[in-house]
Amino acid sequence: MNLNNNFISELPADPIVGNTRRQVKNACFSYVTPKKTSKPKLIHVSEDFAKDLGISKDDLQSKEFLNIMTGNQVLNNTTPYAMCYGGHQFGNWAGQLGDGRAINLFDVEHDKKQWTIQLKGAGETPYSRQGDGLAVLRSSVREYLCSEAMHHLGVPTTRALSLSLSGDDVMRDILYDGNRANEKGAIVSRVSPSFLRFGNYEIFAARGDHKTLKTLVDYTIKHHFKHLGQPSKDTYIVFFKEVMERTLDMIIHWQRIGFVHGVMNTDNMSILGLTIDYGPYGWLEGFDFGWTPNTTDAQNKRYRYANQPNIGLWNLYQLANTLYSLIEDSEPLEEILENYKNRFESKSLVMMKSKLGLFEIDKNDLKLVQDLEDILQATETDMTIFFRNLSLFKKDNSVEGLRLIEYAFYKPSQVNGSVKTEWETWFANYHKRLQKERLSDNNRKAKMNSVNPKYVLRNYMAQLAIDDANNGNYDLIDELFKLLKEPYSEQPENEKWFVKRPEWARHKVGCSMLSCSS
Ligand code: AMP
Ligand code: MG
C-alpha cells in the first residue's frame, strides 16, 4: 500500500498525548492509540472495495489485516489520530465534540485516489467526553451495510471496508429507560477521501482562532478542492459554493430514495458532501414527509424526511458564518445561500419527474408531483414499491394504474370512496401527461428503474441481520450485502426482499424508530 499522512504532517497537532478528556485548542487533531481487544474476529469485508484501495485478497485473509482493522496493531510508520471538531446539535451550538470513538489510522493512495482509513469503536480519545469510545454490533452492522448500499445506489457516501467483533462486551441502555445491558462490541473500518465535517471548521471560528481556521480551509482546498486554485478570499467563496452544491445534491439523492439521516447536526455534515455517520437513520416505507427515525427527535421532528433540505440549508448557514471570518464580506455568501433554495426547487422537480419517467417540460408538472405526494401520504403507500411498479404503466393505459401499484398499499381496504377517486384522477392526469413523452414504454421503464431502486436496506432487514449476528450467524449480513450491490437490478432469486415492511416490524425496536444509543 502506498501510505501517506498529509493531514497530520501539514496541520497543527495537539501537543498532549493520551486519552484524558480535554479541550484541545489551536490544533486539528490529537494522537491516540486504539484499544487492544480480547478476541478480534472479522465478520465481513468489502472485497471489491478493498481492491480499489490496493488491498489484495491475501492481505484480507491475513492476521495483520484483522489486527489493524480492530485496533490491535498499528502499522509501521503510521500514527493514529482523532480529529477535533465542534458542532450544532439539534439547532444549538454544542462546543467541542470531536472523534470520540473514531480513530484515523492512515491515508492510502491507489489509482490516483486518496483515502483515509478510520476505525469506529476502537476506544477512547480526548474527545470521548462521557463515552467509552466503543460501538456495539447492532449499530456497526447498520453502518457497514448502509454505507455500501448507499454507494451502490449512487449516493455520495463514506465507505465501509470491514466489520469485526472486538470480543469485548459493551454496556448500553438502548431505550434510555434505565435498563442497561451488555452487548457485543464491534468495530467498523470506514473509508473516505476525508472525514472533515462542517464542525471541524466551526470549532475554530467559535473560539476566534482564525489562524488555525485558515490553515485548515487552505489544507482542504489544496487536497480536496484542488481544481479551485490557490487559496484566496475569492477561492473561499467558490469553495463555499461547491460545498453548497455538493450538500444539495446529496440531499436530493436522499429524497429520491427515501433515506432519512436522522441526525443532521453540523458535526455530521461532510465537507465533501458525503453521507456520513450512520446512526439512527431509516428508510421511508410508507411515504411520509413527517417521518423521522430518531427517537430523540420524535417530539420536534427537526430531522424528518421533508425537512432534510431545509436543514441542509440551515447547516450551510453555520458554515457560512464560520467562513465569513476569512472572507469578511457577507454578500457573496448570502447570494450562495439564497441560490440554494432556487437550486433545490428546480433540481428536486427534475428528480421527482425522473422518478415518474417524465423528461419533457410541462407547466403542470409541479402540480402533478405535488398531487402524487399528497395522495401517497394519505394512503400509507410503500415508497419503494410504488415507484418501482409505476414503471410498468403503459402509455396507452392498457393496464389500470391502480392495479399496478396496489401492492404498495399498507392498508388496501382504505383505498376506496373519495381516496380511490383521487388515485384514479391522478392516474388519468399521469396518462395524459405521458402522451407528451417521446420514449417508448420500455425505454421509459428502463430510465425509471435506474433512479427508483428495487431493493433498499429496509429497517427490518437490517434488524433481522442484527438479530442473527447477535446469535453468531453472519449469513444474512452477507446476503444483504450482495443484494444491495445491485439495488436497481431485477434479482428474481431475491424477490422476497421486494416486500412491504411486515406488520410485526411496525413498532419493533430497531425496525421503526431508533435511539442514538450505539
Ligand atoms: P454522533 O451522534 O454519533 O454523531 O456523535 C456525537 C458525538 O458523540 C461525537 O463527537 C462522537 O464521537 C461522540 N460519541 C458518540 N458515541 C460515543 C461513545 N460511545 N464514546 C465516545 N464518544 C462518543
Ligand atoms: Mg457524528
Side-chain angles (χ1 to χ4, degrees):
M1 283 194 295
N2 183 6
L3 303 183
N4 76 50
N5 263 322
N6 298 328
F7 194 87
I8 52 177
S9 60
E10 294 181 30
L11 293 168
D14 173 8
I16 305 173
V17 177
N19 295 337
T20 50
R21 315 301 202 259
R22 56 184 179 268
Q23 290 294 307
V24 174
K25 305 266 174 74
N26 312 111
C28 294
F29 65 94
S30 306
Y31 291 108
V32 290
T33 308
K35 186 181 177 183
K36 294 236 180 338
T37 76
S38 64
K39 209 168 164 227
K41 178 185 156 68
L42 206 54
I43 292 181
H44 207 273
V45 191
S46 177
E47 286 184 18
D48 289 348
F49 184 44
K51 228 184 285 164
D52 296 343
L53 299 170
I55 304 175
S56 71
K57 257 195 163 155
D58 285 346
D59 292 338
L60 293 178
Q61 276 147 18
S62 68
K63 187 96 190 142
E64 197 179 22
F65 181 81
L66 168 70
N67 283 336
I68 291 171
M69 294 310 162
T70 51
N72 287 292
Q73 181 186 337
V74 172
L75 203 56
N76 283 344
N77 303 319
T78 66
T79 40
Y81 62 97
M83 289 156 105
C84 179
Y85 57 79
H88 279 85
Q89 298 189 314
F90 295 93
N92 304 305
W93 176 242
Q96 179 181 297
L97 298 167
D99 286 331
R101 57 162 167 183
I103 297 182
N104 295 279
L105 296 181
F106 46 77
D107 289 355
V108 186
E109 201 185 307
H110 190 70
D111 277 347
K112 302 204 176 80
K113 283 199 191 120
Q114 177 87 23
W115 301 97
T116 300
I117 315 253
Q118 179 186 83
L119 303 184
K120 186 164 176 180
E124 292 163 283
T125 77
Y127 310 99
S128 298
R129 297 177 295 153
Q130 313 88 314
D132 54 13
L134 305 175
V136 293
L137 183 55
R138 63 185 150 80
S139 63
S140 305
V141 170
R142 284 169 50 84
E143 169 128 28
Y144 180 76
L145 286 178
C146 200
S147 18
E148 289 305 279
M150 292 284 268
H151 169 72
H152 294 293
L153 282 162
V155 184
T157 178
T158 61
R159 303 289 304 273
L161 174 62
S162 67
L163 167 68
S164 309
L165 286 171
S166 64
D168 301 312
D169 282 347
V170 174
M171 182 77 88
R172 289 288 182 268
D173 178 357
I174 302 191
L175 298 174
Y176 298 138
D177 61 1
N179 286 313
R180 291 152 62 88
N182 269 328
E183 297 186 48
K184 291 183 182 177
I187 298 168
V188 172
S189 62
R190 308 199 289 187
V191 184
S192 175
S194 167
F195 287 98
L196 284 165
R197 305 139 190 273
F198 289 10
N200 286 84
Y201 307 86
E202 285 181 277
I203 187 79
F204 298 118
R207 288 172 169 166
D209 179 2
H210 300 154
K211 179 168 170 260
T212 315
L213 172 63
K214 182 173 185 311
T215 307
L216 183 61
V217 173
D218 290 358
Y219 170 89
T220 310
I221 292 171
K222 175 177 164 198
H223 290 282
H224 302 288
F225 294 77
K226 217 182 278 165
H227 54 282
L228 301 182
Q230 290 298 318
S232 68
K233 285 192 181 183
D234 287 340
T235 316
Y236 300 149
I237 293 166
V238 283
F239 165 64
F240 181 64
K241 181 162 179 284
E242 188 166 331
V243 176
M244 179 278 274
E245 276 165 4
R246 289 191 192 196
T247 304
L248 175 58
D249 287 343
M250 170 186 77
I251 294 173
I252 292 199
H253 277 294
W254 292 355
Q255 304 305 90
R256 169 173 65 82
I257 56 176
F259 175 82
V260 188
H261 183 283
V263 206
M264 291 176 72
N265 293 333
T266 56
D267 51 302
N268 290 337
M269 298 298 290
S270 144
I271 200 72
L272 300 182
L274 307 173
T275 314
I276 189 171
D277 280 10
Y278 291 87
Y281 67 83
W283 297 81
L284 287 191
E285 298 187 295
F287 182 90
D288 181 0
F289 274 134
W291 188 68
T292 171
N294 184 351
T295 50
T296 313
D297 194 27
Q299 279 263 299
N300 295 317
K301 297 192 193 294
R302 178 180 171 87
Y303 298 139
R304 66 190 182 274
Y305 176 60
N307 212 29
Q308 298 193 117
N310 296 331
I311 293 293
L313 179 60
W314 193 92
N315 289 340
L316 285 161
Y317 264 98
Q318 311 316 312
L319 184 63
N321 280 335
T322 287
L323 294 176
Y324 172 79
S325 47
L326 302 182
I327 298 167
E328 293 173 314
D329 179 5
S330 60
E331 212 171 291
L333 293 170
E334 273 162 20
E335 201 177 298
I336 292 164
L337 291 165
E338 208 42 53
N339 211 354
Y340 178 100
K341 291 178 214 156
N342 307 330
R343 296 289 279 263
F344 171 72
E345 269 158 33
S346 58
K347 285 191 168 191
S348 172
L349 180 59
V350 171
M351 177 275 285
M352 284 306 294
K353 281 179 59 177
S354 74
K355 288 180 77 65
L356 294 173
L358 303 177
F359 305 99
E360 307 299 323
I361 291 172
D362 186 293
K363 65 175 179 1
N364 293 322
D365 282 344
L366 182 60
K367 171 135 184 11
L368 189 72
V369 167
Q370 284 170 346
D371 287 349
L372 174 64
E373 288 168 346
D374 289 347
I375 179 169
L376 279 172
Q377 171 110 21
T379 41
E380 200 184 1
T381 315
D382 191 273
M383 177 176 180
T384 304
I385 296 175
F386 173 82
F387 282 104
R388 191 70 186 193
N389 283 2
L390 186 66
S391 68
L392 300 169
F393 194 81
K394 300 276 182 283
K395 230 172 168 173
D396 66 5
N397 211 7
S398 57
V399 201
E400 194 197 330
L402 258 183
R403 260 200 42 219
L404 287 174
I405 59 97
E406 67 190 350
Y407 177 54
F409 294 135
Y410 278 89
K411 292 171 184 142
S413 62
Q414 289 178 354
V415 185
N416 55 31
S418 62
V419 176
K420 189 161 182 224
T421 314
E422 269 178 60
W423 269 112
E424 283 162 354
T425 309
W426 187 83
F427 270 110
N429 291 336
Y430 181 56
H431 167 239
K432 205 164 128 215
R433 173 62 183 80
L434 273 184
Q435 306 314 308
K436 215 173 181 171
E437 294 296 317
R438 281 175 287 187
L439 292 179
S440 67
D441 281 337
N442 262 341
N443 288 346
R444 186 182 69 256
K445 176 174 164 219
K447 281 197 99 165
M448 288 171 77
N449 286 352
S450 71
V451 292
N452 295 323
K454 174 135 184 170
Y455 302 106
V456 295
L457 183 63
R458 291 170 183 272
N459 312 310
Y460 86 92
M461 289 161 65
Q463 190 58 41
L464 289 175
I466 290 164
D467 290 344
D468 280 3
N470 274 323
N471 292 326
N473 182 343
Y474 312 113
D475 294 350
L476 195 47
I477 293 179
D478 187 55
E479 182 177 338
L480 295 181
F481 186 89
K482 289 183 176 136
L483 170 81
L484 298 168
K485 267 187 172 178
E486 303 230 12
Y488 298 103
S489 303
E490 294 295 326
Q491 302 182 40
E493 70 285 11
N494 281 317
E495 204 68 18
K496 67 170 185 278
W497 297 118
F498 184 62
V499 287
K500 284 172 282 193
R501 173 201 56 227
E503 276 310 304
W504 60 258
R506 186 181 280 273
H507 300 295
K508 187 175 173 333
V509 176
C511 297
S512 48
M513 287 184 88
L514 294 111
S515 75
C516 290
S517 151
S518 56

